[in-house]
Amino acid sequence: MNHSAALSEQLLQFSPDALIVVDFHGVIRFANETTRSLLGYAPGALVGQSIDLLLPARLRARHAHYVAQYQRAPVGREMGARSADLVARRADGSEFPAGIRLAPFDWEGRSYVAAAIRDMTDRRAVNEALIVARAEAERANRAKSRFLATASHDLRQPMHTIRMLNASMQKLASDPGGLRDLLRSQEQAIDGASRLLDALLDVSRLESGAITPQIEEVNLEAIFAELRREFAAPASVKSLALDLPRSEVALATDRLLLSQLLQNLLGNAVKYTERGAVRLGESVDAEGLQLVVEDTGIGIPADKLERIFDEYYQVDHDGRPREGVGLGLAIVREVARLLGYEVSVQSTPGHGTKVTVRIPRERVLRQAAPIARTPGPSGNAAPIAGRLLLLEDNPSVRAATELFLSLEGYRTLSAGSIDEALKHGPQLAPGDVLLADYRLGGSETGLDALHRLRAMLGWEIPAVLLSGDIDSVLRVTKEPIGHCRFLSKPVDTRALTAAIAELGAGAQSSDGTATAVR
Ligand code: ADP
């Protein structure tokens, strides 16, 4: 035997797998040395024996069936990597989980099958651990979804009550000093907790893949108008010029997600700017649309730019107290990922920051006609002439809301269910407004209440609907609903009174007739 043939022989005999060759009748014709350590048989003791010898007695009948099947269509294949029931039997009767690789071949006019046998104990243990880990991850994911659902409703509900009570106490506090200051501090704490709750829920929802963008045609001006309204007050408190152009662009996008992205960028621009201006610019070129949020604020050091999109990362701006929780840009990152936008930041410390959002050309649909919009009232709105029908199934939220509304000067009718609300129907007249919680007991919603009430009244009573999960609600209510505003819980009480005033006044249109269809 030459050197290489001798080496091949050694490899065959001492391969890491036990190798055997079986003939067409299931008789072992060859076994290598490894069968000794793996199966406990000397090779010579196996040759001439039935392959059944290597199987536990209980599996022999089934094995005969497999062999017959295999002989009809012999192909190379692997067995036992996953299935736990492929077991081999050692000479001493003990068993081990086996992985077997089969290779059919013909030699001198006869058919044979070569089998490589391997002990799979470790691999199966790893597989089993993986299966357990996967089940655990799926369980954790389900728990996270449940937490999200619970947090978005059950946690916002008490927050909403606390906010209502705080607004009422501020109204009631007669001494201009101590108590009012305390209540204002409390209000700030409530604002902080609400923002954190919103940001946490937004990030988890975006990351968990629970959100699929709902692409529709969106006039940018509709979003810009909302942003102008939202940021007018915070910018004027700091005497910042707020510059949002009137837009004529229409995009194929998800309206809520794009608003959320711009809200976070503008929110940061206002937050991190003490003097000067905050600007939102737009330009269309061959590449697509660029939206640029620019400020003249404190800026971000170059070595921190990489990290600002990470969750909870906040730049230490020289002892400046931290505002926010470090999730705003993580939300921007996730929204941009979902919508296929590119976001980049340029910043000069001490001079300002510029964030550019690039939206691909094919998403820009056209130059849309700007939407005429009357800016909503800001600050404290005067109560409407009509009454409010309050529909809220939770008694403590209802009581807190009634108290707040009566202190604001509204005349209120209260209901805990749709049926109770309908009972007030005969007393309602144009100029009245429905204020309803979106999620009522059972499967009923404030929207069901609105439709039933409108059907019963025969005219379109305006409505404000409150929801802890406004995004989901807006996703299910595809059709725009006339004279209806959705507000998020815990509600900003100023936004609430402004919405009621706008709708109550709108119901009495300029020629004195109500928009009612009697
Ligand atoms: P935060 O809630 O802290 O604002 P973000 O994720 O929105 O969290 O932003 C991360 C960090 O990036 C902020 O803490 C801030 O230091 C920095 N940053 C973001 N936008 C601006 C900006 N326009 N000007 C200066 N710094 C900014």
Side-chain angles (χ1 to χ4, degrees), residues 434-450:
L434 170 70
L435 170 59
D437 189 20
Y438 182 78
R439 183 135 38 126
L440 301 167
S443 59
E444 293 192 314
T445 69
L447 203 53
D448 299 332
L450 179 63

Side-chain angles (χ1 to χ4, degrees), residues 268 271-272 295 300 308 313-315 317 324-326 328-329 353:
N268 278 350
K271 190 159 59 174
Y272 297 105
D295 64 59
I300 306 164
I308 53 174
Y313 183 81
Q314 296 185 293
V315 180
H317 293 288
V325 287
L329 290 180
T353 301

Side-chain angles (χ1 to χ4, degrees), residues 264-265 267-273 293 295 297-301 304 307-317 322-332 345 347 352-355:
N264 279 294
L265 293 179
N268 278 350
V270 171
K271 190 159 59 174
Y272 297 105
T273 304
V293 177
D295 64 59
I298 55 178
I300 306 164
K304 305 290 191 304
R307 300 207 46 202
I308 53 174
F309 288 91
D310 294 351
E311 272 105 347
Y312 306 108
Y313 183 81
Q314 296 185 293
V315 180
D316 187 4
H317 293 288
R322 277 167 205 258
E323 295 172 68
V325 287
L327 288 174
L329 290 180
I331 292 172
V332 167
V345 187
S347 189
T353 301
K354 181 172 156 183
V355 185

